[in-house]
Amino acid sequence: MENFVLENPTKIIFGRDTIAGLGKEAAVFGQKVLLVYGQGSIKKNGIYSEVENSLQAAGLTIIQHGGVKSNPTLAFVRKGIELAKLHEIDVVIAVGGGSVIDTAKAISAGAVVEHDVWKFFSGKKGISSPLPIACVLTLAASGSEMNGGMVITNEEKGLKVGTGNKKLCPRFSILDPGATFSVPPDYTAYGAVDAISHTLEFYFTCRGDNTCVQDRFMEGLIINIMEACDKALLDPHNYSARANLMWCATMALNGWTSAGLGWVGFPMHMIEHAMSAKHDVPHGAGLSAVIPAWMRWQAERQPAKIAQFARRVFNIAAADEKGAAMQGIERLTAWFTQVHSPTTYKGLGIPRTTINELAENSQFQAKI
Ligand code: NZQ
Ligand code: ZN
């Protein structure tokens, strides 16, 4: 167990009918709200009016910034920063999934500085005192609702880059599992893959020898995510399945799983971000195409940990390490296929000829 400090400032308000409390919670931070949301799902499923009613009942002024696209872009962030400065916004509220929340985070950081917001992503500037951010989560996936990370695509440079700072942690996030009933099967599955990948990145790249607490915590999250996803795909309105999926996805990337692991990497994400930047694939779909290949590569170097994963998550009985590791990878790949998340490059519709370009792109990101 390595030394660590774990401090997560986000207040989580979890459960049924919690969106009604948004206005009262947000009013603590001021009167003027920049409301950031996606391409329209919240207008179709009724969440938009719940949010608007709650903010108006609390006497707050709403400035709209709707239209965030999946794999959110720098251009849209810059427009949001202009709005935030023009209207002297007090709090930025994200209603959506990771793309919306990350956009809100970038706006909140860029709205209080004179330099371009991309300087935070290129490492040229540090994040000082962003505007307060709050979230209403509508998709169980990224974990952005309870961490200080943000990932934005610079469409001019063809780069998708993440950066982070504890000050970007939302002040509060409302997690109502009912808000995810309308998530379609593909994004239910992609979100589960993303959450699983957040644990795998730490599980396989940590270097310490005494990681049994974190290992079993992550193994439990993975088992629960697969079970909950299967149930939510069978019945999208299964509240318990949606609640378990939502809370596991948040726990998978809020600092708890990696506490005490010391150094950890994010290699599968580095590769996937290049794919999303260049080919605009859904983040979770890109990951399910990367994970099996990356795990087979890793099994050549570190069969023991992959064999442990196989034995504990999939009850693989094979005696030899390599055999168990390969069977575990096959079982995980079979689950991706079962939930219709692509497991190969071809499955994503990306031509193999682009492999070198993607390798360069992901290496460039890793150096930033
Ligand atoms: O745009 P709308 O119309 O809202 O539709 C969205 C979008 O098409 C839809 N959706 C969301 N909630 C819904 C819904 N549809 C029906 N009912 C609902 N309740 O789902 C689609 C995908 O939304 P998006 O926000 O893109 O998905 P996700 O939450 O997976 O976020 C992906 C982004 O998160 C970043 C990724 O890079 C990607 O850009 N990540 C952020 C991280 C972080 N900040 O810590 C870490 C992650 O590894 C990840 O990289
Ligand atoms: Zn991810």
Side-chain angles (χ1 to χ4, degrees):
M1 185 78 80
E2 307 290 327
N3 289 11
F4 67 92
V5 173
L6 178 62
E7 184 191 346
N8 189 314
T10 303
K11 173 180 176 184
I12 295 290
I13 303 163
F14 191 99
R16 286 182 174 81
D17 310 325
T18 42
I19 297 176
L22 173 66
K24 198 162 137 277
E25 294 288 337
V28 167
F29 300 101
Q31 287 301 303
K32 283 192 262 182
V33 168
L34 182 72
L35 186 60
V36 184
Y37 55 91
Q39 306 265 315
S41 70
I42 64 166
K43 296 218 168 155
K44 282 185 225 123
N45 60 19
I47 292 172
Y48 179 83
S49 37
E50 266 189 86
V51 160
E52 192 180 39
N53 294 342
S54 179
L55 293 173
Q56 283 172 344
L60 302 182
T61 312
I62 304 172
I63 309 294
Q64 310 237 359
H65 192 42
V68 176
K69 64 173 271 307
S70 227
N71 296 318
T73 62
L74 182 59
F76 196 83
V77 167
R78 285 175 175 149
K79 275 205 207 97
I81 290 168
E82 276 169 35
L83 275 176
K85 287 182 175 174
L86 178 70
H87 295 279
E88 293 174 338
I89 290 296
D90 297 310
V91 52
V92 185
I93 296 184
V95 183
S99 293
V100 172
I101 301 170
D102 288 4
T103 299
K105 288 178 179 177
I107 291 169
S108 72
V112 294
V113 295
E114 288 317 311
H115 64 73
D116 184 57
V117 64
W118 187 249
K119 290 197 168 159
F120 293 130
F121 294 88
S122 56
K124 295 201 176 69
K125 289 281 183 187
I127 287 162
S128 55
S129 46
L131 291 175
I133 307 145
C135 306
V136 174
L137 183 68
T138 66
L139 173 48
S142 68
S144 190
E145 64 279 8
M146 196 176 182
N147 71 36
M150 59 178 179
V151 188
I152 295 292
T153 296
N154 181 328
E155 55 284 41
E156 294 143 22
K157 297 179 186 280
L159 277 178
K160 182 177 169 88
V161 175
T163 188
N165 183 301
K166 189 158 63 28
K167 294 176 193 152
L168 287 176
C169 284
R171 302 299 178 90
F172 68 89
S173 287
I174 294 178
L175 276 58
D176 178 348
T180 65
F181 285 166
S182 52
V183 177
D186 54 355
Y187 275 100
T188 298
Y190 299 157
V193 172
D194 191 18
I196 289 171
S197 76
H198 296 150
T199 62
L200 296 180
E201 296 276 23
F202 303 148
Y203 189 89
F204 290 129
T205 61
C206 63
R207 296 179 178 153
D209 46 11
N210 172 24
T211 59
C212 51
V213 173
Q214 297 89 341
D215 286 353
R216 285 208 162 83
F217 179 25
M218 290 191 268
E219 290 150 10
L221 284 178
I222 295 168
I223 293 166
N224 276 302
I225 290 167
M226 290 194 289
E227 274 177 15
C229 180
D230 290 345
K231 286 182 185 153
L233 290 174
L234 274 178
D235 169 10
H237 286 241
N238 178 330
Y239 180 86
S240 312
R242 290 291 191 182
N244 295 345
L245 193 50
M246 192 175 230
W247 189 229
C248 283
T250 302
M251 293 296 276
L253 202 60
N254 69 353
W256 282 76
T257 55
S258 51
L261 291 181
W263 181 90
V264 286
F266 230 44
M268 292 178 261
H269 274 69
M270 290 293 108
I271 300 167
E272 196 295 316
H273 285 172
M275 293 158 88
S276 288
K278 288 282 174 201
H279 303 282
D280 202 15
V281 295
H283 178 57
L287 283 162
S288 58
V290 169
I291 291 168
W294 187 88
M295 283 178 72
R296 285 194 290 272
W297 176 84
Q298 184 73 349
E300 299 300 327
R301 290 152 188 80
Q302 193 203 26
K305 197 66 180 280
I306 299 192
Q308 174 184 294
F309 164 82
R311 291 182 178 130
R312 291 189 186 170
V313 172
F314 292 112
N315 299 320
I316 299 288
D320 76 305
E321 244 171 31
K322 193 73 192 299
M326 296 321 274
Q327 285 185 43
I329 296 169
E330 272 158 36
R331 289 285 296 277
L332 184 61
T333 309
W335 186 77
F336 290 159
T337 305
Q338 180 198 309
V339 299
H340 305 295
S341 200
T343 56
T344 60
Y345 219 52
K346 202 161 140 257
L348 284 170
I350 302 180
R352 280 191 68 80
T353 48
T354 62
I355 284 211
N356 292 338
E357 180 198 25
L358 286 175
E360 260 165 58
N361 186 297
S362 52
Q363 273 154 12
F364 177 82
Q365 275 180 54
K367 276 190 227 120
I368 289 180

